[in-house]
Amino acid sequence: MDSEFERRPEPEEPETLHGISGSPGIVVGKVVVFSPLEDGHIRYRLEPGAAVKEEERFLAAVERAEQSLISLRQQFEGDLADTVAIVDSHIRMVRDRMIVEQTLSLIRQKQINAEWALARSLGLIKKKFDHIADDYIRSRFADVEYVARQVAEQLTGQGRSFPAGFAEPVIVAGEDFSPEDTIRMYTDRVLGFLTEKGGSTSHTAIVARSLGLPAVVGVSGITSRCRTGDTLILDGYEGRVCLHPTMDQQRLYLEYDRQHRAFSDEMSWYIRLSSETVDGLRVRFSANIEIPDELEAVIYYGAAGIGLFRSEFGYLQRRQLPDEESLFIIYRNMAAALAPEPVTIRTLDVGGDKLSSHLPELRFSRERNPALGLRSIRFSLREKSLFNTQLRALLRASQHGRLRILLPLISSLSELKEARQVINGVMEQLAKEGVPFNPDTEIGIMIEVPSAVVMADTLAEEADFFSIGTNDLIQYSLAIDRGNEYVAQMYDPLHPAVLRMISQTVEAGHRQGIEVSLCGEMAGDVFTAPVLLGLGLDELSMRPSAIPHVKRLLRHSTFARLTALAAQILKCKDSSETAALLRQYLADNYPDPFIDCNERT
Ligand code: PEP
Ligand code: MG
């Protein structure tokens, strides 16, 4: 290993590359680069009559690969649930027809050795994946490739050439890593992970977060830009990589990391304190989560329940539609773990910008304008059997805690009434079957489109609570695609129209006596939170780690100051005026080294 780290004759220029934050933290270290999979396997034509033996050799390798994955799975059972789920999917895939039968038939028909047939088979599969329009499904070719590699390694008797045990802790870089690779390397003293592919929900990111190691993913060209032995800074907070850093840069980043940690330690003081202003106004701070494993963080950061469980992730990460029983177990466990605090579960919100899925049942025909298409509640009301299954699981779980059902993207009263009718029907059916549930389960709606804001007074008569989804409300009210980088700078949470809509919704809800929550990203942003608090929201729901920060802000404020600020802001004519008021408010009330107010509009 040491020889890989020999000094280069030429010092190289520092270079900063940008990717996506996969897992927080900063490390400085040397990198080991794993180059993309090479097809260096031997190729030969078979002797006449040798195909049957070759097929047997291939099947034996499949068997061994399966066994090796099963034993890997056993090592992590009971621990890293997400990782185990991914290994499970690989175990199922290793005997997939696409890989096994195609390879067997190539051995037979082309009279070629198993390694060659497997490589050709993989090439054919790749062509099929390349034609898939859906980015998510296309990216799942990485799983097929991983599984095929396991079989290839069994055929040749060689493992992937990971150096066994690093002489010093290193940052590992590669195209992408499977969860199995990530874990195997972790045990070899890894400082952090860096990949060319993937996003914040890629396997590497998920596993790195559960291992508590920094990761930056999706850094295009990284495997060719750096070489084993190069020094780099991996900034998992910002999704940045600094190649060939100067000593000054290294010191700066490490200091930044130290401050981050010290600040986080200070924040941990706030975890157990109540969420109230100096003059006693209480606000509920709850958590937004995507997967049940985040429950630990919800409890750790002292969230007052879950304000948004994005249930679609439980569907999109799977290879089969979840059945009622498995959904029930997930929902029941969450409701019971946090009782008597509320657990707000949003029904399936797929389509639009959301990851579409490899599940045929959730596959959407190509829509010209998916954000305005068959998404969220519209999809559920069309696919009633899917909706029924989820509602049965939710209602059955409702008697194990305070479970609240949240309907996404409601845009009219008739839509809400139709959804309520379906819910009532499911309740009647459960009652008929003698299945227990809570008949008073609260049914809330997301306020995410302008029509819902305008009709909020009417909708409030039929809903038990509101949850304002500003991520979508901003996109639909300002006509800015939330995922489009060309107009990203116009995606403006402080736009007066957005703030007035939030204010109108709060007022309409309160007039009808229902609670109003806000669960868009701006709830967890200390820069935007003061105006939300001043507008009188009853609950802010955010990523769990943001809770102590926003709580600290609340505890440094008074109700009187916050409402005066909001009243002033509602008169602002554009967002730069609002930003100036917020900057001033924060400077006066809340010194925080990590809010870069100058970067705001
Ligand atoms: C929102 O739109 O603000 C929201 C919380 O929902 P999502 O981000 O899941 O669309
Ligand atoms: Mg939304």
Side-chain angles (χ1 to χ4, degrees), residues 308 310 346 349 354 446 448 469-472 482 519-520:
L308 173 64
R310 292 179 160 103
R346 181 174 69 188
D349 184 6
K354 293 288 156 66
M446 299 270 307
E448 303 182 277
T470 43
N471 301 345
D472 275 315
R482 64 194 260 189
C519 61

Side-chain angles (χ1 to χ4, degrees), residues 77-236:
E77 212 156 28
D79 257 338
L80 307 163
D82 287 346
T83 309
V84 168
I86 299 165
V87 179
D88 272 342
S89 71
H90 289 165
I91 293 171
R92 283 194 296 275
M93 202 185 286
V94 90
R95 290 198 180 270
D96 194 280
R97 257 179 345 115
M98 273 200 303
I99 301 176
V100 177
E101 283 177 21
Q102 193 162 239
T103 307
L104 289 174
S105 100
L106 282 166
I107 296 174
R108 227 172 300 133
Q109 286 169 10
K110 306 279 175 201
Q111 297 287 306
I112 55 178
N113 70 320
E115 288 89 338
W116 191 358
L118 179 60
R120 282 185 72 162
S121 167
L122 194 63
L124 292 172
I125 297 171
K126 180 157 191 327
K127 272 194 195 140
K128 285 195 185 137
F129 271 77
D130 283 346
H131 282 106
I132 295 173
D134 183 306
D135 291 347
Y136 180 73
I137 308 176
R138 208 172 48 247
S139 72
R140 301 283 37 105
F141 177 71
D143 291 301
V144 183
E145 199 177 24
Y146 172 79
V147 167
R149 195 174 67 217
Q150 301 306 302
V151 178
E153 285 172 9
Q154 293 299 335
L155 280 170
T156 56
Q158 296 162 1
R160 189 177 180 182
S161 54
F162 288 148
F166 303 113
E168 59 183 284
V170 290
I171 294 164
V172 286
E175 265 207 333
D176 201 2
F177 298 116
S178 71
E180 293 90 338
D181 285 344
T182 314
I183 285 171
R184 278 185 185 128
M185 288 190 283
Y186 168 65
T187 51
D188 284 339
R189 300 170 66 214
V190 162
L191 293 170
F193 297 98
L194 176 54
T195 66
E196 286 214 359
K197 294 189 177 159
S200 59
T201 53
S202 66
H203 295 156
T204 307
I206 293 171
V207 179
R209 283 198 291 269
S210 67
L211 297 173
L213 291 176
V216 177
V217 295
V219 186
S220 161
I222 192 69
T223 53
S224 47
R225 304 281 272 275
C226 65
R227 279 174 289 171
T228 291
D230 283 345
T231 298
L232 59 83
I233 299 170
L234 187 82
D235 177 358

